[in-house]
Amino acid sequence: MEQLVKKISLILLGLFATSVYAGDCDINLEATTAMAFTTNEIIIKKSCEEVTINLKVNGTLSRTVMGHNVVFTKKADMDAVVKDGIAAGLNNNYVKAKDKRVVVATQVIGGGESTSVKFKPIAFNTNEPYVFFCSFPGHSSIMKGNVKFN
Ligand code: CO
C-alpha cells in the first residue's frame, strides 16, 4: 500500500512537472515606448518540441512609423540580414523573402498590437551564437539581444 501511494505521488509529480514545463516553451517579449525590448537575453529550451514567441508592442504609434518585429539569426548573419531587410521594405516585414539565414521572424506590428510565431528549437545549431533583433530600419542597434539555449 505504501509503495502504491509512493508510485501515485510520483506519477502526479510527473504530470505537474509536465504542465509547468509546457509554460516554459512560451517566450513573452515586449517592445517598450522607448524603442527597446524588455529583455536583452532570450533562453530557448532545447527540450521544447515547439516554442512560441509572443511579441507585444506598447504605445500607439503605427507599424509604418514605429513598427517592431523580432527576427532570429546567427550573430554572424545579423548585419547582412538587417541590410537586406531594409531593402525588402515594410511589405515584406523588413525581412528578405525566403531568407535562409532567418531562423524565425514575426511580422512587423505597431503600438497596441500583438503577434506570435512558433518554431522548433531544432532549427537552431546550438553550437553557434544566435541573436534576436528588430529589423525595422534603424532599430537593430538598440533592439537586440543574445539567444541562449538550455
Ligand atoms: Co523596432
Side-chain angles (χ1 to χ4, degrees):
M1 182 62 192
E2 202 177 299
Q3 272 203 328
L4 183 64
V5 168
K6 219 176 205 175
K7 213 173 198 176
I8 289 169
S9 301
L10 279 173
I11 289 166
L12 287 174
L13 263 176
L15 286 175
F16 183 66
T18 304
S19 64
V20 166
Y21 162 91
D24 291 346
C25 297
D26 280 6
I27 295 167
N28 299 313
L29 189 63
E30 285 184 36
T32 70
T33 53
M35 208 182 95
F37 283 127
T38 44
T39 181
N40 57 13
E41 183 179 286
I42 285 177
I43 296 167
I44 295 173
K45 287 200 170 242
K46 287 188 282 184
S47 52
C48 294
E49 193 189 329
E50 192 170 62
V51 171
T52 303
I53 296 268
N54 300 308
L55 174 66
K56 183 182 163 208
V57 172
N58 294 309
T60 55
L61 295 172
S62 76
R63 68 193 284 271
T64 56
V65 293
M66 185 51 77
H68 301 293
N69 65 357
V70 58
V71 180
F72 290 77
T73 68
K74 284 178 186 162
K75 192 173 187 180
D77 289 334
M78 177 179 158
D79 289 348
V81 167
V82 165
K83 192 165 167 256
D84 289 346
I86 290 168
L90 180 59
N91 286 344
N92 292 301
N93 292 291
Y94 294 114
V95 172
K96 187 175 100 174
K98 293 176 185 167
D99 192 333
K100 289 204 169 80
R101 298 165 298 185
V102 173
V103 182
V104 63
T106 69
Q107 58 181 324
V108 172
I109 56 172
E113 297 177 325
S114 296
T115 189
S116 294
V117 70
K118 289 176 189 290
F119 64 89
K120 293 186 189 310
I122 204 168
F124 290 83
N125 172 0
T126 56
N127 294 320
E128 292 199 53
Y130 282 82
V131 289
F132 67 95
F133 54 89
C134 172
S135 68
F136 192 97
H139 289 196
S140 65
S141 56
I142 301 162
M143 299 186 76
K144 67 177 176 184
N146 294 311
V147 177
K148 297 231 166 112
F149 303 95
N150 78 358

